[in-house]
Amino acid sequence: MEIKFTKAAQLKEKPDFHCLGFGKYVTDYMFVMDYDEGQGWHDPQILPYDDFVMDPRCVTLHYGLETFEGLKAYRTEDNRILLFRPDMNAKRMQKSNERLCMAEIPEDMFVEAVKALVNVERDWIPDLPETSLYIRPVTYASECTIGVHPSSSFRFYIILSPVGCYYPEGVNPVKIFVEDEYVRAVIGGTGFCKCGGNYAASVKAQEKAEKLGYTQVLWLDGVHREYVEEVGTMNVMFKIDGKIVTPPLEGSVLAGITRDSILHILRDWGYEAEERRLSIHELMEAAKDGRLEEAWGTGTAAVISPIGELNYKGQITTISDFKTGPLTQKLYDYLTGIQWGKIADPYGWTVELN
Ligand code: COI
């Protein structure tokens, strides 16, 4: 793919890498490529970060035909740049796009675009503990019409943001509110996709949880309000009686790349890791009987995030004495060790930029 490059007249001043937060800053450049029926993907370019001009009829603004991804670039102690399983993001975006009748981006094009942009923006990759460069690829439908039907034109773009921890708690336990009123997704819908609509459906419950002093919500299935699905921005895992239990990928839960990586690691470490339906009652019973040993979320932004408290209908349970459990910590250290190149990657998951 030949990527046209337009140089910025002036580069921005870099923020203080000690207080990055999440998603507050963007780098100097972005990647943009368009799709038109009959022409395919065309005009890939890296150009100075700027606004898009949009016709008010753009179907994305009306009907939410949008998908996105999230991955990170890491700077190692010896100054190498690593990506983590970018092929998985490419594949997941293809699945999301397929569900929304949006043009799929070939895996090699997606990965090449990510690599090319990160390469241009190497200086923006922070070098402090827990920091990285968050990569946000997006596809949106760009056709201008008021009718509801699949779009015939799309834009794919990538922006970059130097980030620290996603949660203000950092890598400390978070409090989670079990949501039993609103639902995020149902099987047959778009729950497995990384699309804006899923997140739009979630903010009402997020607002409610925040008002009650909780960081995120734990979603229950949309039919029975019974089976645990996922947490706002992460998949979820529980250690019950020594075994790991995580909700299965039946269509309403996002196929997290961190989730997949952690399941591999756990099984290699000899843990039994079950992907099965887990009812909220079974979970709360296990917590009451002291059999719920640890709970954590997994996600690119959230990494491995210990869960210290669950509130289900006012029934509050504290997990691991509101401390990071030993297995949660071990997983965090191992995964981030691989991602930041501190320990050997036996899986071939990291991709070094040349
Ligand atoms: C990620 O973990 O990369 C996500 O996309 C979560 C996000 C909505 C912040």
Side-chain angles (χ1 to χ4, degrees):
M1 172 167 66
E2 199 161 318
I3 304 175
K4 181 179 166 206
F5 178 71
T6 307
K7 204 167 168 17
Q10 212 183 344
L11 299 184
K12 294 173 194 157
E13 203 177 307
K14 308 261 185 317
D16 178 354
F17 287 162
H18 288 92
C19 35
L20 287 171
F22 190 89
K24 282 198 286 189
Y25 304 100
V26 284
T27 66
D28 294 296
Y29 292 94
M30 59 185 184
F31 174 91
V32 180
M33 173 168 82
D34 290 314
Y35 177 97
D36 286 282
E37 219 163 74
Q39 206 182 350
W41 290 105
H42 60 88
D43 292 317
Q45 48 176 326
I46 291 176
L47 69 170
Y49 188 100
D50 203 356
D51 298 342
F52 290 142
V53 174
M54 263 188 186
D55 186 299
R57 290 168 303 161
C58 173
V59 289
T60 297
L61 298 177
H62 300 257
Y63 309 122
L65 288 172
E66 181 269 354
T67 63
F68 69 97
E69 273 303 320
L71 66 160
K72 285 174 172 172
Y74 307 84
R75 187 183 292 284
T76 67
E77 274 163 12
D78 56 354
N79 224 8
R80 291 175 302 124
I81 306 301
L82 302 179
L83 301 173
F84 187 72
R85 309 187 77 183
D87 57 307
M88 294 287 280
N89 296 92
K91 290 186 182 95
R92 190 170 60 185
M93 184 170 256
Q94 288 182 338
K95 286 194 184 139
S96 302
N97 288 13
E98 198 277 329
R99 176 63 180 81
L100 298 188
C101 298
M102 293 169 60
E104 292 171 35
I105 297 129
E107 182 181 320
D108 54 347
M109 251 188 197
F110 178 103
V111 175
E112 194 183 334
V114 167
K115 283 182 172 173
L117 183 63
V118 174
N119 224 344
V120 168
E121 298 287 50
R122 273 172 180 261
D123 290 353
W124 281 89
I125 306 172
D127 55 356
L128 297 172
E130 333 288 355
T131 64
S132 55
L133 186 69
Y134 188 73
I135 304 167
R136 172 51 63 89
V138 178
T139 319
Y140 72 87
S142 52
E143 193 172 320
C144 299
T145 171
I146 297 175
V148 182
H149 60 84
S151 179
S152 60
S153 60
F154 302 93
R155 172 160 282 189
F156 171 65
Y157 70 92
I158 309 174
I159 55 170
L160 305 175
S161 173
V163 296
C165 289
Y166 184 74
Y167 296 123
E169 289 89 339
V171 285
N172 297 311
V174 291
K175 290 167 67 177
I176 302 291
F177 184 81
V178 183
E179 177 55 54
D180 64 344
E181 179 188 1
Y182 302 112
V183 298
R184 171 187 173 275
V186 288
I187 294 174
T190 58
F192 68 92
C193 302
K194 211 153 173 65
C195 65
N198 291 338
Y199 295 81
S202 80
V203 290
K204 190 78 183 160
Q206 176 67 23
E207 180 187 61
K208 175 175 152 193
E210 281 175 15
K211 276 193 189 143
L212 293 167
Y214 287 82
T215 308
Q216 295 244 319
V217 301
L218 172 60
W219 295 106
L220 299 178
D221 77 278
V223 177
H224 312 93
R225 308 280 203 283
E226 166 79 19
Y227 299 103
V228 167
E229 297 230 307
E230 64 181 72
V231 169
T233 60
M234 48 192 195
N235 294 110
V236 70
M237 296 187 182
F238 302 93
K239 183 165 177 254
I240 303 173
D241 282 332
K243 282 188 204 163
I244 316 306
V245 184
T246 194
L249 303 178
E250 293 180 320
S252 53
V253 167
L254 186 77
I257 294 159
T258 313
R259 174 190 182 279
D260 178 79
S261 310
I262 291 298
L263 286 176
H264 264 89
I265 293 169
L266 283 167
R267 287 170 182 151
D268 280 358
W269 286 354
Y271 283 95
E272 213 172 303
E274 300 177 339
E275 296 174 69
R276 67 162 171 92
R277 288 192 180 182
L278 172 66
S279 92
I280 186 64
H281 298 108
E282 179 186 344
L283 182 64
M284 295 310 277
E285 273 305 301
K288 213 164 77 195
D289 304 347
R291 289 179 295 109
L292 174 57
E293 297 160 27
E294 296 184 41
W296 63 87
T298 62
T300 299
V303 194
I304 306 286
S305 189
I307 297 173
E309 181 179 314
L310 289 176
N311 180 336
Y312 175 57
K313 292 186 188 290
Q315 193 187 330
I316 294 177
T317 184
T318 302
I319 306 165
S320 296
D321 295 327
F322 210 81
K323 294 196 188 89
T324 303
L327 181 58
T328 311
Q329 187 66 53
K330 194 171 158 198
L331 286 167
Y332 178 88
D333 292 342
Y334 189 65
L335 180 74
T336 57
I338 291 177
Q339 291 172 330
W340 269 276
K342 287 186 208 147
I343 52 182
D345 168 11
Y347 300 102
W349 286 337
T350 48
V351 174
E352 186 172 342
L353 280 201
N354 299 311

